Amino acid sequence: MHNKKLTEKDLKSLRVFTSVAEVGGFSIAEKKLNMSKASISRHIRDIEEKLGVQLCERGPSGFKLTESGLFVIEKAKTALKALDNIKTEVDERHGILSGTLVIGVIEHILTDPLCHLSATIAQFTQAAPNVKLELSILNHNQLNRALSDRTIQIGIRGQYHENSRYNYQFLFIENHKLYVSANTANNKHNLALVYRPHPFTESILASGEFSRGPEAAGLEAVATFIASGHYVGILPENYASHINFRHSLVEMNDSPVFHNRICAITEASKPLTQSETLFLKLLS
């Protein structure tokens, strides 16, 4: 029967375990934590003994969380985040902005002239110098997952459909169109469509006009396939323009235009912190 309460030492071990799980192994965690593998292993072994379960499998086959490990990691993240937020929330009561603000942004949005993210970061840094900003550039699926897992506080991406779980602050419209290489523009209807998991791609495939081509992870991969001259693909207008100096891509004459509503997305059920409120105000 394992009924021992967790101590302060166990909290440190949970932080070590969480860090290892986030990076997916001991080697990267060594550098992140500035600890030896032996020390990391000892912390994980200690917390396993305290909880009475095996948290992970480690050996020649690599690092893998067990079912118990997956359960514990979610509970540990919630608990550790709550502890970390105590100082932030106390500061907010005294009108001081502190803590960490994590923002996830869809890839290549900086190339859009309507995107004012850099200016917003400059203003926010000046207004809230004690807040640590973290910025992650993610593809469509990664950003959805980060919002769902609460690993980011604000997500900036297109609003493809309404989800009552989130609040959407409209920022600007980004147009997406079909592009081909200038060298194969005359044979465009014989080309397969580069597949990227995305609502616009699914819409084009559903029309039956193009067959499904190779899979691409990210806009740069889509553009690379298009530039080869063997495929057609969907790209944001601003991004296609940006890479045209190197690869001659042309818009299909009869291309549909997809209007992507770029929004700042936050979780509806969670009250905004003062830092989040300020950032969204500056972003609007």
Side-chain angles (χ1 to χ4, degrees):
M1 194 75 176
H2 298 273
N3 55 7
K4 296 179 182 178
K5 292 183 178 180
L6 298 182
T7 64
E8 291 182 13
K9 179 176 177 292
D10 296 324
L11 287 177
K12 181 176 182 181
S13 295
L14 277 175
R15 287 191 186 276
V16 171
F17 168 60
T18 301
S19 294
V20 174
E22 285 177 345
V23 300
F26 282 39
S27 297
I28 302 175
E30 277 187 281
K31 297 177 182 178
K32 180 180 178 181
L33 297 169
N34 194 26
M35 296 174 66
S36 68
K37 284 184 182 178
S39 295
I40 292 172
S41 185
R42 187 178 65 252
H43 277 289
I44 293 178
R45 187 170 58 251
D46 287 347
I47 201 68
E48 284 179 328
E49 289 177 0
K50 179 61 71 76
L51 296 174
V53 293
Q54 183 181 357
L55 299 176
C56 58
E57 297 173 0
R58 43 208 187 268
S61 59
F63 176 89
K64 182 181 178 183
L65 291 174
T66 62
E67 187 175 340
S68 294
L70 289 168
F71 175 79
V72 170
I73 198 69
E74 291 306 314
K75 295 297 181 182
K77 283 181 179 179
T78 301
L80 294 172
K81 187 173 182 180
L83 285 173
D84 292 339
N85 284 344
I86 291 175
K87 177 67 166 61
T88 302
E89 292 174 10
V90 170
D91 283 346
E92 284 194 355
R93 288 176 62 88
H94 293 86
I96 302 170
L97 300 186
S98 64
T100 302
L101 178 58
V102 187
I103 302 163
V105 183
I106 198 69
E107 56 182 340
H108 298 296
I109 201 172
L110 197 61
T111 62
D112 197 309
L114 297 176
C115 176
H116 304 301
L117 183 59
S118 295
T120 298
I121 289 174
Q123 291 175 297
F124 182 85
T125 301
Q126 187 171 11
N130 294 321
V131 176
K132 178 186 175 186
L133 276 175
E134 292 184 5
L135 185 68
S136 294
I137 307 300
L138 307 167
N139 64 33
H140 177 72
N141 280 356
Q142 290 169 335
L143 216 157
N144 285 345
R145 195 158 49 246
L147 281 167
S148 178
D149 294 344
R150 297 181 175 179
T151 54
I152 59 175
Q153 292 156 268
I154 298 174
I156 299 176
R157 68 153 171 80
Q159 177 190 1
Y160 306 100
H161 55 80
E162 193 77 26
N163 186 331
S164 60
R165 182 178 173 183
Y166 301 112
N167 290 325
Y168 300 86
Q169 177 178 304
F170 173 72
L171 300 177
F172 59 90
I173 295 289
E174 178 187 72
N175 292 325
H176 290 227
K177 298 178 180 179
L178 283 170
Y179 289 89
V180 293
S181 167
N183 299 326
T184 54
N186 294 330
N187 301 317
K188 56 193 175 186
H189 288 291
N190 297 322
L191 304 177
L193 179 73
V194 179
Y195 182 77
R196 179 170 76 103
H198 191 280
F200 296 163
T201 310
E202 302 294 352
S203 176
I204 289 290
L205 286 175
S207 72
E209 186 175 358
F210 295 98
S211 60
R212 176 170 167 166
E215 186 158 341
L219 290 178
E220 191 160 358
V222 175
T224 301
F225 276 123
I226 297 171
S228 75
H230 291 276
Y231 306 98
V232 60
I234 304 173
L235 293 173
E237 200 171 27
N238 58 281
Y239 178 65
S241 242
H242 179 70
I243 63 172
N244 243 340
F245 73 95
R246 177 70 177 82
H247 300 284
S248 185
L249 308 183
V250 294
E251 174 194 336
M252 288 181 59
N253 292 331
D254 52 353
S255 170
V257 180
F258 294 95
H259 303 293
N260 193 13
R261 285 174 49 86
I262 301 296
C263 297
I265 304 171
T266 53
E267 191 170 352
S269 63
K270 180 176 132 336
L272 293 175
T273 65
Q274 289 184 27
S275 294
E276 292 165 359
T277 300
L278 174 61
F279 192 89
L280 291 172
K281 180 181 178 181
L282 294 173
L283 193 59
S284 62

